[in-house]
Amino acid sequence: MNTMPQIPNLRLLFSNHPNPSFFLSSLKPNPILNFNNKFSIKRTNSPSSYPFFSCLSSNKPQRYNPNRRISSSKKMAEESKKLGIVSGFNKKRAEGRDKSGPKDLKLKVRKLNPVNTISYVQILGTGMDTQDTSPSVLLFFDKQRFIFNAGEGLQRFCTEHKIKLSKIDHIFLSRVCSETAGGLPGLLLTLAGTGEEGISVNVWGPSDFKYLVDAMKSFIPNAAMVHTQCFGPSPKIDGVLLDNPEKVNDQIKLINDEVVKISAILLRPETRGLKDEFAMKSSDISVVYMCELPEIRGKFDPEKARELGLRPGPKYRELQEGRSVRSDLQDILVHPDDVLGPSVPGPIVLLVDCPTHSHFQELLSAQSIVNYYADVSEEKRKIVNCVIHLSPSLVVSSSDYQKWMSRFGEAEHIIAGHEMKNIEIPVLQSSARIAARLNYLCPQFFPAPGFWSLQQSKCSNEGTDIKLCKTTSAENLLKFHLRPYAQLGLDRSGIPAKAGPIEIINDLVSEIPEISDAAKQVSQLWDGEDEDAGEGITSMESDKNITEEPWLNQSTLPRCLEDITRENVEIVLLGTGSSQPSKYRNVSSIFINLFSKGSLLLDCGEGTLGQLKRRFGIQGADNAVKNLKCIWISHIHADHHTGLARILALRRDLLKGLPHEPLVVIGPRQLKRFLDAYERLEDLDMQFLDCRHTTEASLASFESNYNNKSTSYEHPDENKVENSLFSKGSQMQSLWKKGVSTLDSNISYPIIKNLKNVIGEAGLENVISFPVVHCPQAFGVVLKGLDRVDSDGGIVPGWKIVYSGDTRPCPELVEASQGATVLIHEATFEDALVEEAIARNHSTTEEAIEVGNSAGAYRIILTHFSQRYPKIPVFDESYMHKTCIAFDMMSVNFADLHVLPRVLPYLKLLFKNEMIVDESDDVEDAITLAA
């Protein structure tokens, strides 16, 4: 066990410090709470209210027995106090009994405006720099909004650019897969939590789209928020492929009102002769959408109206709106055509998604699109003004596709299918700006983003220069105006200015002149030259007490870190925010990089793949995904797992045709329901393992049976491993025990065996789950590295990483964290918001640090911050002696762990002008959605 040196008693602690009163001033009393779920705070001045003292006051720390059942909350409090953790929790929330009645989320009927003054389509460029999702397209009207595709990152992009998603009425999917719909669950949760009543939305997709909705029901509490509209024939009935492809290519009318007519053509790739089980899944069907605005009536001629006996007044308006009226002075009926000039055809926009050449062949044969071509007879022709191509560049660049594009005459073609020239243009510019500033200050912990170079992009883009018609490369916020008619055409005025790293750093140095010296001082931390650092920056002197802490002068490393190399372990914090993605922080995901031995993911919130590509580059992220050994999910809340399908789908594609094993996904039981339902859409090439089968007791039972060559895997005695947090027979305990059976265990046995082999190859001794206090079936995890042999033949103990997941401080977490090399602990709230932390079963900054101190963890990394702290959370430096604040893309190599806490004062300097909330109000409105 690798722990920090223990100070045996308080007398020695005080005598070794020049200012004993420092401890009393810097360590705040922790609130002791009663457990009647009213969360009233009771403070005490007894020594036990300083939990840090309790962890230092004994040579032999009292250990918690996880097999001992605690029959009441009072006993849990007693166990917590013994371990130095004095906290309460929301029992109803932990048991899943805090949900209010479901909202009646009815679709809001908006009063339409047929004479729209403004209308346009706009590119919402999710995936432009990372190519991880399909770009989204907004169709905007005065009173209505339509979104086409909702890939991962859409919500974060719209937050940054202040696009109000609360105005969305309809969402259309061009395909039903993770690439086009990965951001849908988070978006629906946000809409459902907006305002007091919530907002519902119509979601449209081809055929078996309902399977995606069924999958989302496993974690979206109110399925009524999704009004599903499936269209087109089902691709299969009871597993049998249909033989009527001609019906697929028919034009299907979806919306037809006075504002817009939207119809669809389904494209199904050729499947004759294929017998593969997954030859015809919903994700194989793509859609071409046609959006047709009504014609623009000609100009009203008041002279003709007077000649026909009409007096000025309301009848003029009725005629302009297309209704006939009776003449005031003549016995005739006056029709709109009698007083209006020639009509102008309404603008038409096509959105085309042809993911493969096979889909394109289907498009060529579709008769329902013929009337949109410029080379048909004039009486049948519909003039297309804009075609947005979501097809990949491999398809768009082909000569046949280019010839097909030319059939639309003078239409403007916007190429939105991952053009290589846009790969270095970050979609999330605010996040990219923060990353560049952090890289300048401390490149060791914040490496430069790994985007492809333009030279490589050009090499990869050969053959795309064939231009037989007018084309425009899509850019973020590019518009094509539809109304007013005088502005018909492209509008680039909203495209964000492109600022490269040089411009960002120049602005930083101008804003904080002392940052240049600070960057030099940070680099000296690695050179051993930090003794005299800080003299050049007067503003840093207030932070000198951090570097003077006695702990920071300790040169003792845990045995497991001695002679460790940079190719051993690296922790990459891909997402460090809670609840929902924001401008500066993505939701939870941690990448454990074991370099040549592979990698693991701990939680996988929406946008995880995009974050991997921003950190390692597109090729590097592909390699990381291919080499994944395991994905571990802490609990079923959407901000921790909705990026999972995208990662699994990419891994499936990358390893197609290569020998490999399905990836093991460890998670709570509810997650299996989501994955099983989702696999009806597309194969995810994975094996699921319940977290309960990876607890220490379960794995010990597996080892025992395995060593005895047992043919069946018996689950350990439930009386010994039942949840120790709640009384026997409670709802929480029943959820913990539900479904644990010999049958489940026998199914899990070969998966556990596979997992043991895989993690052994990765240099891990074990992946152990343990229960925590947040919601039903919430877990933390321990990763234990294998022991190694040093140059003298001695045994070096393996390192230990502990991840808390979402939790209140609890005995199980302290026990699991004993002697951890690194504890990654959630710190959702600042210390002043302890009551809110209790109500939502999260932790405060101080509580998280107390857990690490009580367990003797060497380093503590705080993460999962509330989005009310957009850039840097509120914290008290006086107890941060072995702790650091996590940021997105932060990469902590184990060879650098000794330096980690010393960087914190410099990070605070970097954000000295930004210690206030600057997120938009709509983010705060929905802040509790997935918490």
Side-chain angles (χ1 to χ4, degrees), residues 560-579:
C560 65
L561 295 181
E562 292 180 5
D563 300 321
I564 200 162
T565 70
R566 302 197 68 80
E567 300 299 315
N568 196 295
V569 192
E570 181 182 56
I571 300 172
V572 182
L573 287 303
L574 297 174
T576 58
S578 68
S579 182

Side-chain angles (χ1 to χ4, degrees), residues 34-81:
N34 59 25
F35 289 84
N36 59 6
N37 289 323
K38 294 181 181 178
F39 315 121
S40 59
I41 296 180
K42 176 183 176 184
R43 296 189 179 273
T44 177
N45 293 322
S46 66
S48 63
S49 57
Y50 295 92
F52 186 62
F53 289 166
S54 65
C55 78
L56 293 178
S57 59
S58 172
N59 279 318
K60 184 177 180 181
Q62 301 185 46
R63 299 179 63 83
Y64 174 71
N65 180 0
N67 293 327
R68 179 172 144 205
R69 178 170 62 84
I70 298 177
S71 60
S72 68
S73 297
K74 182 177 179 181
K75 286 190 176 181
M76 177 190 168
E78 293 172 356
E79 291 283 351
S80 299
K81 286 182 68 175

Side-chain angles (χ1 to χ4, degrees), residues 24-36:
L24 294 178
S25 64
S26 63
L27 295 170
K28 300 177 181 178
N30 194 66
I32 296 178
L33 299 112
N34 59 25
F35 289 84
N36 59 6

Side-chain angles (χ1 to χ4, degrees), residues 118-124 138 140 163 386 388 412 414 472 474-482 487-495:
I118 299 176
S119 177
Y120 55 82
V121 287
Q122 185 173 33
I123 303 296
L124 308 182
L138 170 68
F140 178 97
I163 297 171
C386 180
I388 300 176
E412 186 75 50
I414 299 177
T472 299
E475 296 183 71
N476 297 331
L477 303 184
L478 174 69
K479 289 181 182 179
F480 186 92
H481 281 286
L482 305 173
Q487 296 181 12
L488 185 70
L490 290 172
D491 178 4
R492 299 177 179 274
S493 61
I495 297 175

Side-chain angles (χ1 to χ4, degrees), residues 523-677:
S523 68
Q524 291 171 357
L525 296 177
W526 274 262
D527 299 332
E529 301 173 4
D530 57 302
E531 300 296 331
D532 301 320
E535 295 180 2
I537 306 178
T538 55
S539 63
M540 293 293 294
E541 291 182 1
S542 61
D543 299 314
K544 292 278 286 184
N545 63 308
I546 297 292
T547 59
E548 291 173 357
E549 291 285 359
W551 299 279
L552 289 179
N553 291 327
Q554 293 172 355
S555 58
T556 304
L557 281 175
R559 180 85 169 97
C560 65
L561 295 181
E562 292 180 5
D563 300 321
I564 200 162
T565 70
R566 302 197 68 80
E567 300 299 315
N568 196 295
V569 192
E570 181 182 56
I571 300 172
V572 182
L573 287 303
L574 297 174
T576 58
S578 68
S579 182
Q580 66 183 60
S582 73
K583 283 171 66 174
Y584 304 107
R585 293 185 184 271
N586 202 48
V587 287
S588 296
S589 184
I590 301 169
F591 180 74
I592 306 297
N593 187 5
L594 303 174
F595 296 94
S596 62
K597 293 183 179 181
S599 57
L600 292 85
L601 270 175
L602 308 181
D603 279 336
C604 191
E606 177 188 336
T608 293
L609 178 57
Q611 295 291 84
L612 273 174
K613 293 189 174 186
R614 291 182 182 97
R615 168 62 181 84
F616 295 107
I618 292 179
Q619 188 61 50
D622 285 351
N623 291 333
V625 171
K626 282 193 295 186
N627 294 323
L628 278 171
K629 302 299 183 183
C630 167
I631 299 178
W632 183 90
I633 304 297
S634 62
H635 61 291
I636 197 62
H637 286 163
D639 57 327
H640 290 259
H641 74 84
T642 49
L644 184 57
R646 189 78 194 98
I647 292 283
L648 293 173
L650 176 62
R651 180 181 181 272
R652 172 205 66 206
D653 294 341
L654 292 172
L655 295 176
K656 188 174 183 179
L658 300 175
H660 67 280
E661 292 289 332
L663 186 65
V664 176
V665 175
I666 304 172
R669 190 175 186 85
Q670 308 101 307
L671 182 63
K672 186 177 189 300
R673 291 199 292 270
F674 166 69
L675 294 171
D676 286 347

